[in-house]
Amino acid sequence: QVHLAQSGAEVKKPGASMKVSCKVSDYTLSEIALHWVRQAPGKGLEWMGGFDPEEGETIYSQKFQGRVTMTEDSSTDTAYMEISSLRSEDSAVYYCATVGTGYYFDDWGQGTLVTVSS
Amino acid sequence: DIQMTQSPSSLSASVGDRVTITCQASQDITNYLNWYQQKPGKAPKLLIYDTSTLETGVPSRFSGSGSGTDFTFTISGLQPEDVATYYCQEYSTFGQGTKLEIK
């Protein structure tokens, strides 16, 4: 089991950028594939993107293409997800999760609440 | 993009009941269908992957079946701790969720 520890809650103003971190323990980033999923208050789960082992690159949901950047720091086994040009609709809990061979999300971080408000 | 239609959106059942949730894909996804349980304030938890394989540690009252475009998730003998929202998922797409309550 992979342990994922995410950064704390954030409050941001519309138009700002936001970066959430996801620290991996018990494995290294090179051994896993990490993805990001978000959940707006009272709503369902929404896949944002992540590293696709078959493609060998990070893929993004079309909805977030150009506004979201997912990066990894192998020296600290920490993954990052940055969103620019925040709007109120980006208020959500953001989760990192590992992807199993069948593209299922088997281990999850605890979630990071991001509130976008003026 | 593949669309996942999950139903019902909510349901109420009694302890001990058999509960069924369905998920329909807009195109053939073979057996790449997964099910999650999410309790309030918690991260989702993988219950079943590849249609019918139970994740380690998940009680055997949970089961899944189906293939192609039509899939079913079943709880055989509902327990109070099963109150949660359940989601189906095929890679980049989640179903809308089913909120399960106890009568």
Side-chain angles (χ1 to χ4, degrees), chain B residues 2-102:
Chain B
I2 295 173
Q3 307 299 318
M4 306 298 294
T5 303
Q6 184 177 340
S7 63
S9 57
S10 65
L11 75 106
S12 182
S14 300
V15 172
D17 280 357
R18 179 183 178 92
V19 169
T20 298
I21 298 169
T22 64
C23 194
Q24 185 171 60
S26 58
Q27 62 190 72
D28 190 336
I29 59 171
T30 59
N31 72 327
Y32 293 119
L33 193 283
N34 314 303
W35 293 94
Y36 300 83
Q37 175 192 67
Q38 186 180 33
K39 296 186 178 180
K42 299 293 186 182
K45 174 187 175 183
L46 177 68
L47 296 181
I48 292 171
Y49 61 93
D50 295 346
T51 299
S52 60
T53 305
L54 222 57
E55 174 75 328
T56 302
V58 173
S60 59
R61 65 178 179 275
F62 296 99
S63 64
S65 63
S67 67
T69 61
D70 295 302
F71 300 87
T72 301
F73 170 81
T74 301
I75 305 174
S76 301
L78 184 66
Q79 297 300 304
E81 60 265 31
D82 298 336
V83 169
T85 300
Y86 294 84
Y87 294 92
C88 62
Q89 173 249 342
E90 183 279 336
Y91 195 12
S92 62
T93 308
F94 287 91
Q96 301 90 332
T98 297
K99 187 173 183 179
L100 174 59
E101 298 176 331
I102 299 284

Side-chain angles (χ1 to χ4, degrees), chain A residues 28-45:
Chain A
T28 65
L29 266 175
S30 63
E31 296 175 288
I32 62 173
L34 264 187
H35 284 233
W36 294 86
V37 174
R38 78 176 187 181
Q39 185 170 38
K43 302 296 184 183
L45 301 168

Side-chain angles (χ1 to χ4, degrees), chain A residues 56-104:
Chain A
E57 61 181 3
T58 299
I59 58 173
Y60 298 93
S61 164
Q62 272 196 319
K63 177 175 179 177
F64 300 103
Q65 195 85 36
R67 203 165 65 93
V68 169
T69 305
M70 296 170 187
T71 56
E72 297 182 349
D73 181 347
S74 58
S75 68
T76 60
D77 287 316
T78 303
Y80 299 92
M81 189 280 300
E82 183 171 21
I83 306 182
S84 60
S85 304
L86 286 166
R87 29 208 192 228
S88 58
E89 310 90 86
D90 294 318
S91 294
V93 175
Y94 290 78
Y95 294 101
C96 58
T98 58
V99 172
T101 51
Y103 291 100
Y104 47 84

